[in-house]
Amino acid sequence: MDEFELYLRAHTHLDNGDMDQIRSLAIPKTLRRNEFLLHEGEICRYKIFISKGLLRTFGTAADGSEHILQFAPEHSWTLDVESYDRQQPARYNIAAIENSEVLLWPKADFDKLLATIPSLQSFAQQLISRNIYNSGRRILTALSATPEEKYQEFIHSSPDLLARLPLHMIAAYLGISIKTLTRIRQAQLRR
Amino acid sequence: MDEFELYLRAHTHLDNGDMDQIRSLAIPKTLRRNEFLLHEGEICRYKIFISKGLLRTFGTAADGSEHILQFAPEHSWTLDVESYDRQQPARYNIAAIENSEVLLWPKADFDKLLATIPSLQSFAQQLISRNIYNSGRRILTALSATPEEKYQEFIHSSPDLLARLPLHMIAAYLGISIKTLTRIRQAQLRR
DNA sequence: GGTGGAAAAGGACATTTGACCATAATTTGC
DNA sequence: GCAAATTATGGTCAAATGTCCTTTTCCACC
């Protein structure tokens, strides 16, 4: 039994038949560090499950700087929702931070699965809900927190990621400069 | 035919029977300027449709400052999703900016409606999707845009709201100080 | 295991932003 | 229509943050 099945069993009550069906439509893919799975402007054709590794979703600003919307470690899902839903050009890029293994479901196939497996649908709903809750919090801290508070919140909520990410990506995720991040960390050492 | 029915007709293909059923479970309520519909810590019991007026959803920071997550003008919906879904204490407050008229659906009732009216369900899905798309953009600009860019984006995307909102609320929405906002506006006048 | 490249840290400086204050203008509710 | 309260502007200052730069450290890959 592989990563994906273990994940499904842990988070759903899907029966074996359903699992097989879901699995049968997945396209496995290996990604090397820094390899892109989606470039902005392309259409996001797949729902993506990360079996191993770590991905990031990010947008590029006018000046070329990158801002990270989401980190997707193993056992999580990712995609450009807007592009995927409407099959229109993506706003964001998705790329691997570590060498990764992912499973891809073409939208048409996944839609079929959703239609035929009710408990998959409700599971998908849960994921969407969680996404919304997190977005709310993310917006609020982006608006109200100081760089230091943002960093604290990050290491508190994702200590695991902290160890795996280069600092400049954390900065790009928090919306602060690498310089500020370095300063914060220095200040903490001195305590 | 009232505001709500006009709205439903414009945005869905629900038939008259469905409309009546949906309407029959709504609780109408009048809100005075500054009146709260939900205090953080309370449970969000209703799905809220705004017939007239303007509401805001906001969180309060440790120092007592308020940060606005969303403005909900007439013909839109609002709620604290996380609190509503799980019937747990809310993180956010919802209050009226203008004297308003709203319709409230208790969760149990609305769930019943969703179960019996499939096209209401798909309509609700659409609203959720839009919410997600908007959140993504909001996060990205919160991370990457300068105060001036944020303001420009706001007046471009919501010129209608600009006229109805006190500036300090726009500042609270953009995550900048009222001082900065004033400065930006002065700079624009001088051009 | 060595080397080239990326990542982190550090220094110097300019700029932006916010806090705090006072003041002017506007709005609201009676 | 008036008084009180809210809202907007403005000034001054200190602090925080970003940019540009160099230097050092670390890491990946051959």
Side-chain angles (χ1 to χ4, degrees):
Chain A
M1 191 159 20
D2 71 357
E3 293 288 321
F4 180 64
E5 277 197 42
L6 285 171
Y7 162 83
L8 269 193
R9 283 183 199 284
H11 294 275
T12 71
H13 297 255
L14 291 160
D15 68 34
N16 288 347
D18 291 339
M19 295 225 185
D20 292 346
Q21 210 186 328
I22 295 169
R23 155 51 58 86
S24 71
L25 294 173
I27 304 168
K29 187 166 166 55
T30 303
L31 291 171
R32 303 184 54 93
R33 189 175 229 287
N34 293 329
E35 190 174 342
F36 278 65
L37 199 46
L38 177 73
H39 282 95
E40 56 183 295
E42 291 175 358
I43 289 167
C44 183
R45 303 208 137 75
Y46 308 107
K47 200 155 270 202
I48 303 160
F49 176 79
I50 295 93
S51 304
K52 281 209 180 75
L54 179 57
L55 269 54
R56 70 196 227 263
T57 303
F58 63 101
T60 47
D63 64 349
S65 63
E66 298 180 351
H67 294 271
I68 297 176
L69 282 167
Q70 189 209 7
F71 295 115
E74 59 282 332
H75 306 169
S76 67
W77 298 81
T78 194
L79 38 52
D80 180 323
V81 215
E82 193 167 2
S83 172
Y84 176 88
D85 280 357
R86 307 183 179 166
Q87 295 285 294
Q88 74 188 15
R91 263 174 218 288
Y92 311 120
N93 308 274
I94 300 178
I97 294 176
E98 305 170 353
N99 294 336
S100 304
E101 285 170 29
V102 299
L103 295 173
L104 309 176
W105 284 264
K107 178 164 163 53
D109 292 340
F110 203 89
D111 286 348
K112 227 175 291 165
L113 289 174
L114 284 177
T116 56
I117 308 177
S119 50
L120 179 63
Q121 199 169 23
S122 70
F123 178 56
Q125 296 292 343
Q126 284 176 38
L127 294 180
I128 290 174
S129 300
R130 223 179 344 185
N131 183 322
I132 291 186
Y133 308 155
N134 291 338
S135 296
R137 288 197 214 140
R138 188 94 193 280
I139 293 172
L140 198 60
T141 61
L143 294 185
S144 65
T146 64
E148 171 146 17
E149 288 164 345
K150 290 183 193 176
Y151 179 63
Q152 290 300 347
E153 195 170 317
F154 181 78
I155 61 182
H156 178 261
S157 69
S158 317
D160 40 325
L161 288 181
L162 180 63
R164 295 165 70 179
L165 290 170
L167 290 180
H168 68 271
M169 287 198 184
I170 297 181
Y173 178 82
L174 299 178
I176 64 182
S177 74
I178 175 89
K179 177 83 201 191
T180 303
L181 183 52
T182 305
R183 279 199 266 243
I184 292 170
R185 307 184 86 227
Q186 291 313 311
Q188 310 223 328
L189 286 182
R190 257 174 255 121
R191 286 176 204 159
Chain B
M1 193 161 14
D2 70 359
E3 292 289 321
F4 179 63
E5 277 197 43
L6 284 170
Y7 162 84
L8 269 193
R9 284 183 199 284
H11 294 275
T12 70
H13 297 256
L14 291 159
D15 67 35
N16 287 347
D18 291 338
M19 296 225 186
D20 292 346
Q21 210 187 328
I22 295 169
R23 156 49 60 84
S24 70
L25 295 173
I27 304 167
K29 186 165 167 58
T30 302
L31 292 171
R32 303 185 55 91
R33 188 177 230 285
N34 292 329
E35 190 175 340
F36 279 65
L37 199 47
L38 177 73
H39 282 94
E40 57 183 295
E42 291 175 0
I43 288 168
C44 183
R45 303 208 138 74
Y46 308 106
K47 199 155 272 203
I48 303 160
F49 176 80
I50 296 93
S51 304
K52 281 210 180 74
L54 179 58
L55 269 53
R56 71 194 226 266
T57 303
F58 63 100
T60 47
D63 64 350
S65 64
E66 298 180 351
H67 294 270
I68 297 176
L69 281 167
Q70 189 208 7
F71 294 115
E74 59 282 332
H75 305 169
S76 67
W77 299 82
T78 194
L79 38 52
D80 180 323
V81 214
E82 194 167 0
S83 172
Y84 175 88
D85 280 357
R86 306 183 181 167
Q87 296 284 295
Q88 73 187 17
R91 263 174 218 287
Y92 311 120
N93 308 274
I94 300 178
I97 295 176
E98 305 171 353
N99 295 335
S100 304
E101 285 170 29
V102 299
L103 295 173
L104 309 176
W105 283 264
K107 179 166 163 53
D109 292 340
F110 203 89
D111 286 347
K112 227 175 290 166
L113 289 174
L114 284 177
T116 56
I117 307 176
S119 51
L120 179 64
Q121 198 169 26
S122 70
F123 178 57
Q125 295 293 341
Q126 284 175 41
L127 294 180
I128 290 174
S129 300
R130 223 178 345 182
N131 182 321
I132 292 186
Y133 308 155
N134 290 339
S135 296
R137 287 196 214 140
R138 189 95 192 280
I139 293 172
L140 199 59
T141 61
L143 294 185
S144 65
T146 64
E148 171 147 18
E149 288 165 343
K150 290 182 193 177
Y151 180 63
Q152 289 302 347
E153 196 170 316
F154 181 77
I155 60 183
H156 179 261
S157 68
S158 318
D160 40 324
L161 288 180
L162 179 62
R164 296 164 70 180
L165 290 171
L167 289 182
H168 68 271
M169 287 199 185
I170 297 181
Y173 178 82
L174 299 178
I176 63 182
S177 74
I178 176 85
K179 177 82 201 191
T180 303
L181 183 52
T182 305
R183 279 199 267 243
I184 291 170
R185 306 184 87 228
Q186 291 314 309
Q188 310 222 328
L189 286 183
R190 259 173 254 121
R191 287 177 204 159

